[in-house]
Structures are given as C-alpha cells and as structure tokens.
Amino acid sequence: MAESFDLLMDVSPKKLAWNFLVHVVRLWKAPCRYNPKEINSIEMGGRIQASVPKALVRRWNDNIDEFKMYKMSNFIVVDKREKTKTSMNRWTLNFSHRTVVLLVENPTFPLQAFRLTQISELLNADRINDSQLIDIMGEVVGKEDPKELITSKGKETKRLAILVEDLDNYRIGCVLFGDMVDQILPYLDDGRVEPLIVVLQFFRPSIWNEKTSVQSHFDISKLRINPDLEEVRDFRDRRLAAIPSNLVRISQVNTNNSHSGADELKRGDVTVNTIEEALNSTQEGPLWIAGTIVAINSGKDDWFYKSCRKCPKKVETPIGNRYECGKCGHTHGSASLRFKVEVMAYDGTGSITLLLWDRETVQLCGRQAEQIKDEEELYAEGYPAALESLLERKLLFKVNVKSSNIKLYDQVYTVMKVCEDDTIFEMHLPNKTFSTVTDTGCSNSVDLSAAMVDINNLSDSQYSVDVVEDSVTSLKCKTPAKTATMVLKQQIPINIENEEELGFSTNKLTRNRGKRQKMQLHDSNE
C-alpha cells in the first residue's frame, strides 16, 4: 500500500502527526540577535515555512540541503506572525525532538523552486506589501559601481545596484548587499556577450520616491546566478531568440541617475537659469540653476534630523523606548539620522539659500549622516568637518520654487537633484553678466556676452568658469561665509506655516522672526 502524505494547504495547529513529501527550496541560518556568530535557528521557506529552534540546531545543522526532496513528519504547528514573510501560508512548522526527516533519493515529482512575480506587476502596482518577500527572474542588463556602506547597526558592508530585464522587456532596479556583491562581480564583465540570468529569491519589493525596486535581505535572500534549472534554461533560450548573443549585454548605468540629474541635462531640453532669475521667478515648479557653494548655514544640531528607519519621515520624541512614524506607521527602537544641510550658492548674479536633503548630501560628500555624527572634529561653526567638502563645489541644482518662495516669506529653496559633472556644468553655464565684490563693497559688472566663446570648441580655455571662480574668491575674501549668510537671513525673514510641505527646512529662530514680520505686514494692511 502506498504511503499517504498530507497537503501543505491543510496544515493547522489541531494535530502533531503531520507527514509531508517536500522539496526544500530555501534554507538559511538565522543569527542570534546578541551574538551574530551564534546560530539562533535554522529556517526553511517556500510554500510554507519550517523552523528548527536553537535547542535542535546542532542535530540538524548541515543535514538538510536545498533543492533536495525529503519525507518530513511530526511537527508542532505555530503562528509566528513574523514581519518578514517568505510564504503566503500563515502557519510555521516547528521541529521538535519527535520530528523525522528522510532523504528521498529519487524524487517522485519535479522541483518547482520559485514562485515568480512579474516585473510588470510590480511596476504597475499602486501599493506594495514590502513585508512579503518575492522571487524574480531576469537578465542583468545594467550595473552600477559597488560602494562601501555602513548599516544602521554599524556593520560595514557593500552595496551594488543592477538592472534586471524580463522576457517582456520590463526592467527593475535591484540592490544587492553584503556577500552577494562579491558573488556577482566576477560575472559583470564590460564586454560580456552571453546573457547573465539571475533568480532573485526572497527579495524585498519597495516603492521609494515613486520608483519601484527590489533589494536583498541580509539573512533570507538568495542570489542564484545561471542556475541549472529547467525554467532558467527556458528563459535563456527565449532571450537569445529575441536578442542575438553577439551584442554586449551589460551596460554601465547609474540607477540613481534620477537623483543626480545628469541624464536629464544631457537630453539638451533643459534651460539652466541664473540665481537672479530663480529668485525673481513668479512661477511655481522646478528649475535648474548653476552655482558654487560658498557657505554652510547649518550649525551643530541642525545639519541632520531623526527619521523613521523605513521612510524619510521625521520622527518626534520617542514614546517610551520606541519611535513611531506618523507616515508609514512603523515603530522602531531607534531613529535613523539623515542629512538636512542648508547651504548658500553663488553665481555672480546673486546668492541663494538651498536645502540639501539626505540623498543629495550623501551623493556629494560620500558618507552617511550616522557615520559622521559621533566624530569629534567639528568646524568652528559647529557642523562636522566632513561637510567642508561641500564648499567651493561648482554644481548644477534642480530646485523647487514654491509659493512661499515667490511670496518672499521663505528664502530657502529645496534641492530636488544635483549634478556634479564638470563637463555638464560648463556646457550649461548661463551666458550672463557676473558680478564681483570690490574692496569698497560696491559691485562691478563684467559683461561676458562678447567674451564668451563656444564651449564645445574650447581646448584648454575655461574662461567662463574661471570668471565664476574669481567672483567667488572675491566674495569669500571680503565677506566671511557665515556672516554673509546671516545678513541675508535678516533681510528676508522666513515664515513656515507648514513644516510638512517644506520638509523641516529652516530653524526655529528664522521661522519665528518670519512670523513676527508677517504679523507686522498684516497690521499695516489693516
């Protein structure tokens, strides 16, 4: 008589004598929370999750392998209710001292290891459940340079972004962390002509700034590169039928190009304004300006803010020992630190106060706020010495002109993107009149309209850029950066009525002064 087996869909906590015939499609060892070198449990995920508790780890460690079939019987069924889910099944099979596992040498049914999610499904979704880990298969068609990273828990690791494309030519960004970076780097040759097929197993989907991507989970995710499986071979054959193998298949890309703005500027349909034009703009919306950072307005305690660890929303004073996010609803034992740096930029036509948020500041200084928070070395004005690298940088800024800027009760312009490419900067430098500051404090004008030449035909000449540099040098020599900034703040008071709209971009002193000024204007109108 043939042995009978239970179905995973029938699992419930009402009995212990379960008997299954299953393939193990994913196995990982969960480290102890307080000692990462110690194994806290062995986890198996797929159609249902199974867990070997710490007391039984020694017995089952290295005795169960992925992609093999086993007879498994006698489990304690529990509802673990974990935040990160590898299965749609709510129940978990807990191993006990009575659990029996036997290897099946000749599997009786084929392995179907993955439950693949279509990239188009992710890209078209209005909302994504980021607690449910998913599987994706695709060809790697783009790569970014790997970067060093320090996690929120202080762990040094690596980060690499790649671009994955499916059979329908849908693409999605994927971020790899830790050992996965070293695992895939040998395959990312610039001249590769053979398709690099990957299966992203148990990856976390997310939507950030209206952009959908997936990223690896340090403990659970698995990167499978060209695995010898039937579904992978079928995928490869269909890709080769559509795209010949004699073409270079992986290109160098910047998956953060929406952050840097370089591609937007390279398209040639962008007009770069002078700072004077930006200050006089009466139309709400984004615009590009070119300028040099000549001052940092932020002090000891206002160059960063505490945010939710899941989203960039600011979190207030903790409730007990937990931080609760008012935007995404998640609670955390500690807050994340993100940049919020106020700077002054100058271009010869005027100066403007800009707010650099975390994304742009990290791009420019190459470090995370949490990495430099505890540094003892501070600049004279109180901000970390690491931010000094921002000064004298010639950059293109995409700023958001808001109603509050136009009505002149907010002088701080939020930066949406930055571009630090020197060549692009020179090509987009506005052909306008630049001002320099004389020893008497008066402004002299230098008309560049006749002297400016075609940037594309320049060899060693960088006349236009040199003029800006001379202007900046003159300004900085005659007026200390912080002093000049404070004078401008006193000239145009700021009033912030809606901190959510402006992202907490100003300090309380400036905001309160703006409120008093607005009240005076209101009284005079009456």
Side-chain angles (χ1 to χ4, degrees), residues 62-177:
D62 299 327
N63 288 328
I64 302 176
D65 297 318
E66 292 178 340
F67 289 6
K68 290 186 177 181
M69 178 178 283
Y70 296 91
K71 293 179 182 179
M72 296 186 176
S73 59
N74 301 329
F75 295 95
I76 302 173
V77 179
V78 297
D79 187 359
K80 296 181 71 171
R81 298 185 180 182
E82 294 182 330
K83 290 184 178 180
T84 302
K85 301 176 182 178
T86 62
S87 169
M88 299 298 291
N89 198 315
R90 63 174 289 189
W91 305 111
T92 297
L93 305 176
N94 263 21
F95 276 53
S96 72
H97 66 285
R98 298 179 63 249
T99 301
V100 177
V101 178
L102 299 174
L103 176 66
V104 178
E105 296 291 349
N106 299 309
T108 57
F109 60 88
L111 169 66
Q112 293 181 337
F114 314 114
R115 303 189 72 175
L116 298 173
T117 299
Q118 299 299 316
I119 294 178
S120 58
E121 178 183 336
L122 290 175
L123 298 179
N124 296 326
D126 295 328
R127 299 186 64 181
I128 286 179
N129 181 9
D130 58 4
S131 64
Q132 183 70 56
L133 304 186
I134 61 174
D135 300 340
I136 288 180
M137 183 190 300
E139 179 184 358
V140 178
V141 295
K143 64 175 181 176
E144 193 184 60
D145 293 327
K147 299 178 181 178
E148 300 293 330
L149 181 69
I150 296 181
T151 67
S152 59
K153 298 180 180 180
K155 179 183 177 181
E156 293 185 2
T157 186
K158 297 178 182 178
R159 174 191 182 277
L160 173 66
I162 59 175
L163 201 60
V164 176
E165 184 175 285
D166 66 8
L167 293 173
D168 296 320
N169 299 322
Y170 286 101
R171 295 184 174 188
I172 193 169
C174 171
V175 182
L176 307 176
F177 295 106

Side-chain angles (χ1 to χ4, degrees), residues 148-349:
E148 300 293 330
L149 181 69
I150 296 181
T151 67
S152 59
K153 298 180 180 180
K155 179 183 177 181
E156 293 185 2
T157 186
K158 297 178 182 178
R159 174 191 182 277
L160 173 66
I162 59 175
L163 201 60
V164 176
E165 184 175 285
D166 66 8
L167 293 173
D168 296 320
N169 299 322
Y170 286 101
R171 295 184 174 188
I172 193 169
C174 171
V175 182
L176 307 176
F177 295 106
D179 295 338
M180 290 187 189
V181 177
D182 295 328
Q183 180 186 352
I184 198 173
L185 278 178
Y187 297 89
L188 299 179
D189 298 329
D190 291 335
R192 184 184 182 94
V193 294
E194 291 296 321
L196 178 61
I197 311 300
V198 294
V199 178
L200 312 174
Q201 189 177 14
F202 291 157
F203 272 58
R204 185 192 304 277
S206 66
I207 297 180
W208 181 270
N209 289 331
E210 300 181 352
K211 191 171 184 178
T212 304
S213 63
V214 295
Q215 65 181 42
S216 64
H217 186 287
F218 276 99
D219 299 322
I220 305 176
S221 300
K222 179 84 171 185
L223 174 65
R224 301 187 184 274
I225 302 175
N226 287 331
D228 187 17
L229 297 171
E230 182 178 353
E231 55 262 58
V232 177
R233 292 192 293 269
D234 179 66
F235 184 97
R236 176 190 177 90
D237 292 342
R238 294 173 64 183
R239 286 290 289 178
L240 288 175
I243 304 176
S245 60
N246 60 347
L247 299 177
V248 175
R249 316 215 39 123
I250 302 177
S251 59
Q252 183 73 29
V253 298
N254 181 6
T255 54
N256 291 326
N257 54 18
S258 61
H259 299 176
S260 66
D263 280 2
E264 183 175 336
L265 291 161
K266 288 178 180 178
R267 288 199 298 265
D269 56 354
V270 175
T271 300
V272 178
N273 300 268
T274 65
I275 289 178
E276 181 182 26
E277 290 171 336
L279 293 173
N280 294 329
S281 175
T282 58
Q283 182 176 356
E284 294 184 51
L287 56 80
W288 282 92
I289 60 173
T292 303
I293 296 179
V294 295
I296 298 176
N297 293 0
S298 300
K300 180 179 180 181
D301 297 319
D302 59 0
W303 58 270
F304 68 94
Y305 72 100
K306 293 183 178 180
S307 78
C308 170
R309 289 197 173 277
K310 191 174 183 64
C311 72
K313 172 70 176 180
K314 181 180 179 181
V315 293
E316 305 295 341
T317 305
I319 302 175
N321 61 348
R322 306 287 293 178
Y323 287 88
E324 183 174 354
C325 178
K327 180 178 180 180
C328 66
H330 281 73
T331 60
H332 309 273
S334 61
S336 178
L337 299 184
R338 299 182 190 271
F339 284 113
K340 186 199 70 171
V341 183
E342 192 174 294
V343 301
M344 288 286 291
Y346 172 80
D347 73 344
T349 69

Side-chain angles (χ1 to χ4, degrees), residues 5 23-24 37 56 60 97 100 105 166 186 227 311 422 446 495:
F5 296 98
H23 283 283
V24 176
K37 296 181 180 180
L56 298 176
W60 295 108
H97 66 285
V100 177
E105 296 291 349
D166 66 8
C311 72
D422 291 338
V446 181
N495 175 35

